[in-house]
Amino acid sequence: MTSQTDVRLDGSADLRTEREATPGSAGERRRPPEAGPEKGYDSYYGRPVLNEPTWQEHDIAGYLFLGGLAGASSTLAAVAELTGRPRLARVGRVAALCALGGSFYSLIHDLGRPERFINMLRVFKVTSPMSVGTWILTAYGPQAVCAGAADLSGRLPRLGRAATVGAGLAGPAVATYTAALICDTAVPAWHEGFREMPFLFAGSAAAAAGGLGMLAAPLSEAGPARRVAMLGAAVECVAATRMERRLGPLAEPLKRSPLLRAGEALSLAGALAGVTVGRRSRIAAVAAGAALLAGSACTRFGIFRAGMESANDPKYTVQWQRRKLA
């Protein structure tokens, strides 16, 4: 007598024999119903297939937001420095310094011990987003600190200018590498959004940096900040829409996230207000900048929560794998 074993995606095995395959035969055992999305057979007793990431929301979501703000602010500061806008450049440098400090605090607090970050510098692995990201931060951090410190102290202006340009060149990598970091996990909503996530993070970071520039810089120098904010908000919304359409049912946690919907609305409203009434009214510019900052924060926290929801519900793991195999 021959037998074969069918291993399902949920890890269960269905042992079948020729006798079982023949209806009405003696000793026939009832086979379990075929597992399928429509019948709800997603995992044993509906338990999660994946172990939930141990990342804390206030640490990692805050790290995603602050890291993006730091990188984009450095790039905006470099543009302002090279185009003769000293007060906008100062806003970008100081914002990058403060956001970098906050992001490092969030990262170290989640790691538990500061030496764990140092230990990651012992190797460089190009296939590991965490390893690459660690070295990006190591190259970017000292330049951002030097640029901010030189500006606040008024000393070593030439060194500060060079550091501003250097940090600005590394800024886009700092703002987007966290997208590759979360997409390299097994969390369904993050992993399958790898195509659009870097653009979404880049747009969100640019909108936040532009919003902060509009909020803190004078109207006469805030032109680049307004344009960056408008471009960033547009890229963020287009990337989010494309990702939700491509993921189909897997995008349900993203679509029903109130934080993501609020983030899109705040970003678009802030960008539109900034390029219209924000050109002439200081009050409108401050309100638009605050809306852009809040929108970017909502987007990062919304992405984090939606990913956790997709990891906790087994249907987003099992059904998506069945769909791809079909």
Side-chain angles (χ1 to χ4, degrees):
M1 182 177 296
T2 62
S3 65
Q4 70 181 50
T5 303
D6 292 338
V7 180
R8 299 194 182 120
L9 289 173
D10 60 0
S12 61
D14 184 11
L15 300 177
R16 302 177 180 177
T17 64
E18 293 180 355
R19 171 177 291 184
E20 293 169 356
T22 305
S25 60
E28 176 183 3
R29 290 181 295 176
R30 183 183 299 275
R31 280 186 283 169
E34 191 68 27
E38 69 280 0
K39 294 183 180 296
Y41 292 93
D42 297 319
S43 69
Y44 289 113
Y45 303 103
R47 303 173 95 179
V49 177
L50 302 174
N51 290 327
E52 181 178 325
T54 58
W55 294 343
Q56 297 299 315
E57 179 179 358
H58 58 277
D59 285 334
I60 299 304
Y63 169 68
L64 299 179
F65 167 66
L66 292 173
L69 176 61
S73 294
S74 289
T75 301
L76 182 60
V79 171
E81 182 72 26
L82 296 175
T83 56
R85 294 176 171 88
R87 286 178 286 184
L88 178 60
R90 164 169 282 192
V91 169
R93 285 191 288 258
V94 174
L97 179 62
C98 296
L100 178 65
S103 66
F104 261 112
Y105 170 80
S106 298
L107 177 61
I108 298 302
H109 187 265
D110 185 76
L111 290 174
R113 295 199 304 269
E115 61 268 21
R116 289 180 175 174
F117 180 83
I118 304 300
N119 290 337
M120 289 189 287
L121 297 175
R122 298 165 65 180
V123 296
F124 176 76
K125 189 175 182 181
V126 71
T127 57
S128 170
M130 181 168 289
S131 177
V132 173
T134 301
W135 282 101
I136 288 174
L137 286 177
T138 302
Y140 164 80
Q143 297 186 86
V145 171
C146 180
D151 190 288
L152 293 174
S153 65
R155 298 181 178 180
L156 304 175
R158 292 184 179 179
L159 179 61
R161 181 182 175 89
T164 298
V165 175
L169 292 175
V174 175
T176 55
Y177 91 89
T178 48
L181 180 64
I182 65 172
C183 289
D184 195 47
T185 66
V187 176
W190 297 344
H191 181 76
E192 298 300 331
F194 68 95
R195 294 180 183 175
E196 297 86 4
M197 198 73 76
F199 297 97
L200 192 155
F201 273 36
S204 175
L212 186 58
M214 292 163 54
L215 190 153
L219 296 179
S220 59
E221 295 190 9
R226 289 191 292 266
R227 291 188 286 272
V228 165
M230 187 66 192
L231 178 62
V235 171
E236 175 188 345
C237 292
V238 170
T241 301
R242 286 181 60 88
M243 183 169 65
E244 291 176 1
R245 289 179 179 176
R246 185 175 63 84
L247 295 186
L250 185 56
E252 290 175 0
L254 300 171
K255 291 180 179 179
R256 61 171 173 254
S257 170
L259 281 174
L260 285 175
R261 300 287 78 82
E264 291 178 3
L266 287 169
S267 295
L268 287 176
L272 290 174
V275 298
T276 54
V277 294
R279 292 173 177 269
R280 301 177 300 273
S281 171
R282 181 65 187 153
I283 296 177
V286 170
L292 286 162
L293 280 169
S296 180
C298 287
T299 295
R300 302 305 176 103
F301 278 80
I303 288 290
F304 184 88
R305 289 188 183 180
M308 289 298 187
E309 182 180 344
S310 70
N312 288 327
D313 194 331
K315 74 177 182 180
Y316 297 120
T317 303
V318 178
Q319 293 183 18
W320 182 255
Q321 291 182 7
R322 288 191 179 123
R323 180 183 175 188
K324 291 198 296 184
L325 291 175

